Amino acid sequence: MKNLVLLLMLSVFLACSNQDDNTNIEEVTEENENFNAIPVYNHAYIENFEVDQVAYIALNATNAYVLVDPFEDDVAESIAAIKANGNQLAAYISIGTGEDWRDDFNQLQPFLTAEQWAEWPGEYFVNTTTTGIIDVMKARIDKIADLGFDWVEFDNMDWALYDDTRETYGIQVSKEDGIAYYKELCNYVHEKGMKCMAKNFVENAEDFDGVTYESYNDEKNWWDTSGAQSFLDNEKLVIIIHYNESNCDQVYADYQAIYNEDLSFICEDTTLKKYLHYNE
């Protein structure tokens, strides 16, 4: 009888222990599901040091957001290899400027300012959005979709929102026209089955699926914090690319304290002279 009681007590104890273990597993699983930060690889932005090379990305990036210039010679042939590792492939395009090294520059030129952008030689601001420029940009998006991209990242989408820039370069596009322009292009990206990545701000960009912010050693978190947090709250991808930094780990920790662990982060390290990748 005594042995029977002991056996019953042991069975109850083991059942409770298994229930606790299952609860812990469920809690951990749920926590992991809510952790939305992913690695970021950057082939498109050249700031101070080298970008992530396509061959390096294909070998090392897994389940990451990978930003490339879709029209560079070595990109198209590497798309399948990059996507095979579960990566989300994003195409960089500038919608607020025309770049004189692009194949479609001659088509864009009638819609651009005569004076080039002082900060980036070879680039000219968009000067009108109510004409054929939308067709040229949509043709770019068509090519990107045909190549099999998942995202389109819109650089310089805020070019018409600042009075000083508009005045300096004589930009005729109004703020309202600029907003309508990037909204129309994002809608077209969605029609092609891809996602839109905003750049550096999210005002009037509620239809975008994510946002990338550029952060600097002497200028951190300069954007509207509430806008970035609103994207995180809506489980949208929020990326911070931080440049020219000697202590990337500390900056990442600082940003996590401001936002949360759902933030995706990549940092340009001044010692290694290349990007450090987080969230892997």
Side-chain angles (χ1 to χ4, degrees), residues 37-252:
I38 61 175
V40 178
Y41 284 74
N42 194 333
H43 169 70
Y45 298 167
I46 301 175
E47 190 67 19
N48 300 290
F49 309 113
E50 68 175 18
V51 299
D52 290 322
Q53 301 302 315
V54 171
Y56 176 82
I57 293 171
L59 184 63
N60 293 280
T62 302
N63 299 322
Y65 177 88
V66 177
L67 179 66
V68 301
D69 187 324
F71 303 120
E72 287 199 1
D73 294 338
D74 60 342
V75 169
E77 62 191 28
S78 302
I79 288 175
I82 293 173
K83 294 192 69 173
N85 295 327
N87 297 307
Q88 301 178 45
L89 193 59
Y92 167 94
I93 61 171
S94 175
I95 67 167
T97 67
E99 303 142 313
D100 65 6
W101 59 88
R102 299 293 183 188
D103 291 342
D104 59 5
F105 180 72
N106 289 337
Q107 296 172 265
L108 287 174
Q109 198 166 17
F111 316 119
L112 306 176
T113 57
E115 182 181 354
Q116 71 177 347
W117 188 2
E119 294 182 18
W120 293 99
E123 292 196 52
Y124 300 80
F125 286 110
V126 170
N127 201 30
T128 174
T129 59
T130 56
T131 54
I133 191 171
I134 290 179
D135 292 333
V136 179
M137 289 295 175
K138 286 183 176 180
R140 283 187 180 182
I141 293 168
D142 288 340
K143 293 177 182 178
I144 289 166
D146 290 342
L147 286 169
F149 279 79
D150 305 293
W151 291 76
V152 181
E153 185 164 317
F154 290 2
D155 197 14
N156 300 311
M157 60 183 283
D158 58 346
W159 94 104
L161 303 185
Y162 308 114
D163 291 335
D164 55 346
T165 304
R166 294 171 64 247
E167 182 177 349
T168 299
Y169 294 93
I171 297 172
Q172 299 175 21
V173 180
S174 68
K175 296 177 183 179
E176 293 74 19
D177 287 341
I179 292 168
Y181 171 69
Y182 64 66
K183 280 178 170 286
E184 180 173 354
L185 291 179
C186 181
N187 288 339
Y188 191 69
V189 166
H190 287 154
E191 289 175 13
K192 303 299 288 188
M194 299 179 292
K195 295 180 180 180
C196 302
M197 178 64 72
K199 180 73 176 293
N200 287 331
F201 77 104
V202 297
E203 291 78 12
N204 297 294
E206 60 277 355
D207 294 334
F208 282 69
D209 306 284
V211 59
T212 293
Y213 294 103
E214 291 182 291
S215 169
Y216 305 89
N217 177 268
D218 57 351
E219 193 176 11
K220 304 180 185 74
N221 206 48
W222 54 266
W223 50 84
D224 175 28
T225 301
S226 63
Q229 188 61 56
S230 71
F231 265 45
L232 287 169
D233 292 342
N234 284 290
E235 299 183 350
K236 295 184 177 183
L237 184 59
V238 177
I239 295 169
I240 292 179
I241 297 179
H242 185 71
Y243 297 123
N244 204 33
E245 182 56 53
S246 61
N247 192 346
C248 289
D249 289 350
Q250 183 60 56
V251 174
Y252 181 42

